[in-house]
Amino acid sequence: MRLLRPAAQQTYEKLFGAVYVCLMANVLLTGSCLPVVVALAVVADPVASWPFFVALSGCCAPALAGVFGVFADGSSRVWRPFWTAYRRAFRASLTAWYGAALVVVVLAVDARAVPALLPLFVSTGVLVVTCALAVILVAATRPVPPRGLVRSCLFLTARRWYLALLNAVVLATVVAVVLLQPVAGLLVACAPLLYVVFGNTRAVVARLP
């Protein structure tokens, strides 16, 4: 009979609050990444135009920091935490994003030239991308990031490689969904998947001073 009892009101409030936060985070993320969304809708073959999209994707870096700020806030507020983290991490997130993009492009070119070393290039790319995520998260959630942030994040990411690998799989899923259905992917699927990335990355950088 206990299983048939209705849930407490606080349970419903938390559930609807979480749904609201996810939906609003998706809306703010979509609005911040609007140039990429428009380009995906216009360009027939995004994969063939990857240099253009790599250059344009920089707008996603502070938007991702804003979403991390919303998740870190832990309340039903969305607007203020998003833009606070967006402004706070703007420069650091762009630097980390484009730095990681440059390394990944170089690794992709090298992988085509030396296919035998493909596992090394893939593992290095995963490490670089997840390290960039850690930098963005710390920059978004701390007023003053610690010194040597990139080096510390790289060390912690390599130490918890299994979380880095999981983050890479989740991010690949996000990219695949957005490429297949840009608007629906950004408005529905991004926030829940990015919350997994947020939780894993927060566990990675938990030992930072």
Side-chain angles (χ1 to χ4, degrees), residues 17-169:
V19 173
Y20 169 78
V21 168
C22 286
L23 290 177
M24 289 304 300
N26 282 336
V27 169
L28 291 174
L29 179 66
T30 303
S32 302
C33 300
L34 193 59
V36 177
V37 177
V38 173
L40 287 173
V42 173
V43 177
D45 189 2
V47 177
S49 305
W50 66 264
F52 167 73
F53 280 98
V54 169
L56 191 63
S57 66
C59 62
C60 299
L64 181 60
V67 173
F68 285 164
V70 172
F71 293 153
D73 186 71
S75 67
S76 59
R77 299 180 304 170
V78 179
W79 183 268
R80 184 181 295 276
F82 182 91
W83 292 113
T84 299
Y86 187 101
R87 292 191 299 268
R88 177 186 293 162
F90 185 83
R91 182 178 299 180
S93 62
L94 283 178
T95 303
W97 185 279
Y98 281 122
L102 178 62
V103 173
V104 169
V105 169
V106 172
L107 290 173
V109 173
D110 290 343
R112 294 187 64 180
V114 190
L117 296 179
L118 182 61
L120 175 62
F121 295 139
V122 171
S123 58
T124 304
V126 169
L127 180 63
V128 169
V129 170
T130 50
C131 175
L133 288 175
V135 172
I136 293 174
L137 174 62
V138 175
T141 55
R142 300 192 181 189
V144 181
R147 293 182 179 180
L149 177 59
V150 175
R151 181 177 57 188
S152 300
C153 288
L154 187 61
F155 171 77
L156 293 173
T157 301
R159 188 173 182 178
R160 296 197 171 186
W161 58 269
Y162 48 92
L163 294 178
L165 182 60
L166 179 58
N167 277 347
V169 173

Side-chain angles (χ1 to χ4, degrees), residues 160 163-164 166-167 170 195-205:
R160 296 197 171 186
L163 294 178
L166 179 58
N167 277 347
V170 176
Y195 188 81
V196 177
V197 174
F198 166 77
N200 291 336
T201 307
R202 185 170 59 176
V204 168
V205 300

